[in-house]
Amino acid sequence: MEKGGTTADKRLIYSIPEALAETNNVCSSVNVASSRAGINMNAVAKMGEIVKEAAEATADRSSIACAKLVVFANAVGDNPFMAGAFHGIEEPDTVISVGVSGPGVVDNAIAPLKGATLNEIAEEIKKAAFKITRAGQLVGTMAAERLGVPFGIVDLSLAPTAEMGDSVAHVLERMGLDQVGTHGTTAALALLNDAVKKGGMMACSRVGGLSGSFIPVSEDKGMIDAVHSGAISMDKLEAMTSICSVGFDMIAIPGDTSAELIAGMIADEAAIGVMNHKTTASRLIPVPGTKPGDEVNFGGLLGYAPVISVNTVGNDEFIHRGGFIPAPVHGFRN
């Protein structure tokens, strides 16, 4: 989107807050960056404003519209975890794809490994990932056959819920961390992601989607507890994005956080994705009237979240410069 944007750009982007506020089943995904094109900072600045508008439009419902709004870098077209679709040459109009989820299965698999080395834990995670991915492949294939549509991919992502026993954070703590967020958390997450991919890839014919552990604060009991205790901060979540696909995911932030600061968070996540040739994304929820320490309930699978503090040092001039942050060099990567 160039500065000012075309009429089509404006209609689509400006319609997001109202569409998400007035419907129950509509989600919105906006891709603002890629490793080939760089980061569109005009779009990033506008999405900071859109997130604020969406929050205000549903202020009486814990700003639920923002829980349905994801800002991507390097978005993938075959993502089965998103309630929506990318229409184009990547995928057919109708396709069955499967996300394995299942952090509870992995947690149970490594629970007996008292005193085991980390490579032994990695081997056990690979075995568990193979089993749940194989089941996902079989279920997806059967569903596709019965519906008469093509079977797409299996996404090797661990997606938690706010229920006890279904937490990615608890898997990391099972490895020996007293609480997720402490030093070593990013390394533990790297082990988990890699082992799940290695086990899962052997179990299915086509792997795609995001295929990385999700760490949404409101949807993971362990992450919620870590924010409450102060073990998890925005800086640590940003660092963990270097390993997973969505680092700033389902995070409730103070309602007075400016559009520029939100845009800066989006830009930081996009930069990690662009520089590392991977998908990254943000789901930020500035809930009006809240301050750090308050708790916001989104209901259902979206869970609940403590409001986390953010860095309030200004960045307005940087955001309002606009233009593009150029794509990185693809060679000379020593």
Side-chain angles (χ1 to χ4, degrees):
M1 184 169 69
E2 297 299 327
K3 205 155 194 172
T6 66
T7 300
D9 290 332
K10 290 180 179 179
R11 285 177 179 169
L12 284 170
I13 299 297
Y14 294 174
S15 70
I16 290 173
E18 183 179 358
L20 298 183
E22 296 189 4
T23 60
N24 292 323
N25 301 317
V26 171
C27 297
S28 178
S29 298
V30 180
N31 194 75
V32 297
S34 74
S35 294
R36 290 189 176 276
I39 305 173
N40 184 333
M41 289 301 293
N42 300 317
V44 167
K46 177 53 63 178
M47 289 312 300
E49 297 173 8
I50 294 298
V51 169
K52 288 284 286 185
E53 291 175 21
E56 293 288 349
T58 50
D60 59 335
R61 289 170 281 161
S62 301
S63 299
I64 191 69
C66 296
K68 301 184 290 180
L69 173 57
V70 187
V71 186
F72 276 102
N74 290 322
V76 293
D78 55 358
N79 181 2
F81 281 98
M82 296 305 299
F86 292 87
H87 296 290
I89 60 172
E90 289 188 44
E91 294 291 320
D93 287 342
T94 305
V95 63
I96 294 288
S97 293
V98 174
V100 297
S101 193
V105 175
V106 175
D107 192 19
N108 289 332
I110 65 175
L113 302 182
K114 306 296 184 184
T117 64
L118 291 173
N119 52 290
E120 289 170 340
I121 288 175
E123 285 300 309
E124 199 61 37
I125 293 173
K126 283 166 58 179
K127 294 174 185 176
F130 180 92
K131 292 175 183 177
I132 57 176
T133 305
R134 195 63 180 166
Q137 167 96 9
L138 292 172
V139 169
T141 301
M142 184 180 298
E145 288 175 354
R146 291 184 178 182
L147 293 172
V149 298
F151 178 67
I153 55 92
V154 177
D155 186 317
L156 306 178
S157 293
L158 295 184
T161 72
E163 297 299 318
M164 200 57 146
D166 201 25
S167 163
V168 169
H170 288 163
V171 175
L172 303 181
E173 291 167 359
R174 187 77 72 180
M175 296 180 196
L177 305 175
D178 285 355
Q179 191 166 39
V180 68
T182 188
H183 300 295
T185 295
T186 307
L189 183 59
L191 184 157
L192 175 63
N193 253 17
D194 182 64
V196 168
K197 290 179 183 181
K198 285 175 177 173
M201 289 175 69
M202 292 291 292
C204 60
S205 55
R206 289 182 64 199
V207 173
L210 296 173
S211 289
S213 297
F214 294 170
I215 51 171
V217 169
S218 77
E219 299 171 26
D220 188 308
K221 183 64 168 62
M223 295 294 290
I224 293 168
D225 292 342
V227 172
H228 271 307
S229 72
I232 281 285
S233 65
M234 292 293 284
D235 289 341
K236 189 61 178 178
L237 289 167
E238 183 179 316
M240 292 169 74
T241 307
S242 64
I243 304 301
C244 64
S245 298
V246 188
F248 287 163
D249 192 14
M250 286 301 294
I251 299 175
I253 58 177
D256 61 0
T257 305
S258 70
E260 288 81 7
L261 287 175
I262 293 170
M265 297 173 203
I266 293 169
D268 286 343
E269 289 288 283
I272 292 172
V274 166
M275 296 304 292
N276 291 284
H277 303 267
K278 66 191 292 292
T279 302
T280 54
S282 302
R283 256 195 310 177
L284 298 159
I285 308 172
V287 185
T290 62
K291 60 185 184 302
D294 292 344
E295 192 167 272
V296 183
N297 196 324
F298 304 111
L301 290 175
L302 294 175
Y304 61 97
V307 177
I308 194 169
S309 62
V310 301
N311 190 327
T312 58
V313 177
N315 66 347
D316 294 22
E317 183 179 352
F318 176 75
I319 296 300
H320 291 303
R321 285 183 182 274
F324 280 79
I325 295 178
V329 174
H330 292 276
F332 305 107
R333 300 187 68 187
N334 288 340

